């Protein structure tokens, strides 16, 4: 490449090679940061100017619920909406402080019950009332009766899919400390159905299989031995104990205390018993460990805590050990794992979740 005077010029390929994309990205990020700061400062100046003008002309803030559709200027309309929301926040905080001061003086304060989706749940005929003798008699004859009677202690086999990643092993290292009497066996090339048969013959009461995709754990199969049932759970929002800020360690030799919350339907009680069968019935309170399965809107949140008492013994707080994750039941199968001829007790389908207020667990 030569110019009109015959001087050598850099070729387009050479120009592209000499370009530094990292420097360009750094410049773009710096510009974005500066533009963001500039936009925030301008918004603060505009709000201050608007407030001073309103104070100068003795204009009160708009009341909550005021309509500004008559204002054609979009910028002015958004400013009035912001003023209305600010005034609404002030009124709420003022009322909250007044209630707190009244409670401090010993006065009776009527608090409104919050309106949540859980409290607006649609009525379901499968919800079990407390102390239902018929349901208790059925549960006394199910597959978990030997465990709850204390005849069979839990013995768990944990395995993974073929060729697991290192992240899966990191999770299993922490899970072994959560579940007492747990043993890991590599999957190799054995079918899961065959592993269930072998584990049942060797005295295992449950088998857990974790599978992953792109080095991210996707779900877990829980099969109760030797007669089932088998459940598949979608596993999301996993956070290891080493990633939790201010996390604690525990002594795995002490059996944890098990807490099951909000398993109210027939299906919920059944899967709750399956989850409870993974832990010993007699907790060691000396270890100060607690494991919680909290069901909320058919999502089961798993947490692992330790009681932390003050020196004088007046107060106690919970310190998370980890890991933490969320489970969603996809299906419950009668008997042990059988993908071809299995009989399903429950299958979650997207079209069955027609209402946000309808829950199954």
């Amino acid at each position: 490449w030569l110019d009109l005077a015959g001087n050598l010029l850099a070729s387009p390929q050479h120009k592209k090679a000499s370009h530094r994309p990292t420097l360009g990205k750094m410049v773009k990020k710096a510009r974005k940061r500066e533009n963001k700061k500039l936009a925030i400062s301008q918004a603060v100046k505009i709000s201050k100017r608007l407030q001073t003008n309103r104070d100068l002309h003795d204009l009160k803030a708009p009341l909550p619920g005021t309509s500004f559709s008559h204002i054609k200027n979009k910028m002015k309309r958004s400013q009035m909406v912001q003023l209305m929301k600010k005034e609404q926040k002030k009124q709420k905080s003022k009322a909250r402080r007044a209630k707190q001061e009244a409670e401090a003086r010993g006065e009776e304060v009527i608090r409104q019950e919050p309106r949540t989706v859980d409290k607006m749940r649609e009525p379901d005929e499968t919800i079990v009332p407390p102390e239902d003798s018929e349901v208790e008699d059925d549960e006394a004859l199910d597959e978990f009766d030997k465990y709850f009677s204390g005849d069979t202690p839990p013995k768990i086999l944990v395995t993974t899919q073929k060729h697991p990643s290192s992240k899966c092993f990191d999770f299993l290292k922490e899970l072994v400390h959560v579940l007492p009497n747990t043993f890991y066996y590599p999957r190799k090339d054995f079918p899961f159905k065959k592993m269930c048969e072998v584990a049942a013959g060797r005295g295992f009461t449950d088998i857990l299989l974790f599978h992953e995709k792109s080095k991210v754990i996707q779900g877990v199969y829980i099969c109760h031995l030797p007669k089932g049932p088998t459940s598949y759970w979608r596993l999301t929002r996993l956070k290891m104990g080493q990633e939790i800020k201010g996390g604690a360690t525990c002594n795995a030799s002490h059996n944890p205390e098990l807490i099951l919350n909000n398993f109210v339907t027939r299906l919920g009680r059944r899967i709750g018993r399956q989850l409870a069968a993974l832990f010993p019935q007699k907790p060691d309170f000396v270890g100060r460990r607690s494991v919680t399965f909290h069901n909320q809107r058919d999502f089961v949140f798993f947490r692992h805590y330790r009681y932390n008492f003050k020196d004088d013994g007046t107060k106690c707080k919970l310190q998370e050990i980890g890991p933490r994750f969320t489970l969603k039941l996809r299906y419950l199968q009668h008997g042990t794992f059988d993908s071809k001829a299995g009989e399903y007790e429950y299958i979650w389908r997207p079209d069955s979740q027609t209402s946000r207020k309808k829950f199954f667990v």
Side-chain angles (χ1 to χ4, degrees), residues 310-361:
K310 281 194 171 184
D311 295 335
D312 54 359
T314 55
K315 289 187 178 181
C316 173
K317 67 177 182 178
L318 292 176
Q319 191 176 12
E320 190 169 0
I321 301 173
R324 72 165 74 151
F325 49 85
T326 305
L327 298 171
K328 172 77 171 179
L329 181 66
R330 293 299 186 180
Y331 69 77
L332 181 67
Q333 189 182 61
H334 183 72
T336 55
F337 178 78
D338 192 350
S339 58
K340 294 183 179 180
E343 179 184 351
Y344 292 91
E345 301 180 24
Y346 167 79
I347 299 178
W348 181 85
R349 294 169 56 92
D351 54 357
S352 64
Q353 199 81 34
T354 55
S355 174
R356 292 179 64 248
K357 303 172 186 177
K358 185 179 180 181
F359 309 121
F360 302 98
V361 180

Side-chain angles (χ1 to χ4, degrees), residues 165-180:
S165 65
S166 60
K167 293 183 179 179
C168 185
F169 281 114
D170 292 340
F171 171 67
L172 293 182
K173 287 177 185 177
E174 296 190 3
L175 189 68
V176 167
H177 293 290
V178 177
L179 298 172

Side-chain angles (χ1 to χ4, degrees), residues 75-178:
M75 295 294 293
K76 292 294 183 183
R77 190 166 62 245
S78 63
Q79 288 176 3
M80 296 302 294
V81 170
Q82 288 178 4
L83 284 174
M84 182 187 68
K85 290 183 177 180
K86 191 175 180 181
E87 182 65 21
Q88 190 175 7
K89 285 184 179 180
K90 284 183 179 179
Q91 291 181 5
K92 282 187 177 181
S93 60
K94 185 177 180 180
R96 186 168 56 250
R97 283 195 298 268
K99 286 183 179 180
Q100 292 175 355
E101 292 173 357
E103 285 183 346
R105 291 193 298 268
E107 300 178 5
E108 185 179 356
V109 177
I110 301 175
R111 292 188 175 273
Q112 295 181 352
E113 190 175 357
R115 190 182 179 190
T116 61
V117 178
D118 295 327
K119 294 180 179 178
M120 293 187 291
R121 177 176 185 167
E122 293 181 357
D124 189 0
E125 59 184 6
T126 62
I127 295 178
V128 180
E131 299 180 0
D132 192 330
S133 59
E134 182 181 354
V135 176
E136 292 176 355
D137 293 341
D138 291 343
E139 290 177 348
L141 300 174
D142 63 0
E143 300 91 342
F144 312 104
D145 58 340
K146 292 184 180 179
Y147 160 74
F148 284 100
S149 62
D151 298 337
T152 305
K155 183 181 179 183
I156 304 168
L157 187 147
V158 177
T159 185
T160 60
Q161 66 174 22
K162 298 176 183 178
H163 312 295
S165 65
S166 60
K167 293 183 179 179
C168 185
F169 281 114
D170 292 340
F171 171 67
L172 293 182
K173 287 177 185 177
E174 296 190 3
L175 189 68
V176 167
H177 293 290
V178 177

Side-chain angles (χ1 to χ4, degrees), residues 88-293:
Q88 190 175 7
K89 285 184 179 180
K90 284 183 179 179
Q91 291 181 5
K92 282 187 177 181
S93 60
K94 185 177 180 180
R96 186 168 56 250
R97 283 195 298 268
K99 286 183 179 180
Q100 292 175 355
E101 292 173 357
E103 285 183 346
R105 291 193 298 268
E107 300 178 5
E108 185 179 356
V109 177
I110 301 175
R111 292 188 175 273
Q112 295 181 352
E113 190 175 357
R115 190 182 179 190
T116 61
V117 178
D118 295 327
K119 294 180 179 178
M120 293 187 291
R121 177 176 185 167
E122 293 181 357
D124 189 0
E125 59 184 6
T126 62
I127 295 178
V128 180
E131 299 180 0
D132 192 330
S133 59
E134 182 181 354
V135 176
E136 292 176 355
D137 293 341
D138 291 343
E139 290 177 348
L141 300 174
D142 63 0
E143 300 91 342
F144 312 104
D145 58 340
K146 292 184 180 179
Y147 160 74
F148 284 100
S149 62
D151 298 337
T152 305
K155 183 181 179 183
I156 304 168
L157 187 147
V158 177
T159 185
T160 60
Q161 66 174 22
K162 298 176 183 178
H163 312 295
S165 65
S166 60
K167 293 183 179 179
C168 185
F169 281 114
D170 292 340
F171 171 67
L172 293 182
K173 287 177 185 177
E174 296 190 3
L175 189 68
V176 167
H177 293 290
V178 177
L179 298 172
N181 203 17
T182 304
F183 303 89
Y184 168 76
Y185 285 89
R187 173 76 180 276
K188 295 184 179 179
D189 293 330
F190 300 111
F192 184 48
K193 187 175 180 180
K194 186 67 176 178
M195 291 191 71
C196 293
E197 296 175 359
V198 175
R202 295 187 179 182
F204 286 96
T205 60
D206 295 274
I207 179 170
L208 277 67
L209 185 144
F210 292 89
H211 74 93
E212 56 185 348
K213 182 179 180 181
S214 302
K215 299 183 179 181
V216 177
I217 298 177
Q218 297 288 315
V220 55
Y221 293 87
I222 304 177
C223 181
H224 187 73
L225 303 175
K227 299 180 181 180
T230 303
S231 60
Y232 172 66
W233 303 78
R234 182 83 165 85
L235 194 149
T236 54
R237 301 179 67 86
L238 172 63
K239 194 169 186 179
M240 303 289 189
Q242 56 190 359
E243 300 172 356
I244 297 175
K245 186 177 180 181
T249 57
C250 68
N251 188 353
S253 62
H254 296 105
N255 295 334
E257 178 185 358
L258 184 63
I259 301 173
L260 297 173
N261 287 335
N262 205 21
F263 293 88
V264 293
T265 62
R266 290 296 297 265
L267 175 66
R269 289 176 68 100
R270 184 157 174 77
I271 62 175
R273 286 172 68 84
Q274 186 185 26
L275 294 173
L278 301 175
F279 296 87
Q281 272 291 90
K282 297 180 180 179
D284 296 330
F285 296 103
V286 180
R288 299 178 294 153
R289 280 206 301 155
S290 67
V291 171
T292 303
F293 289 95

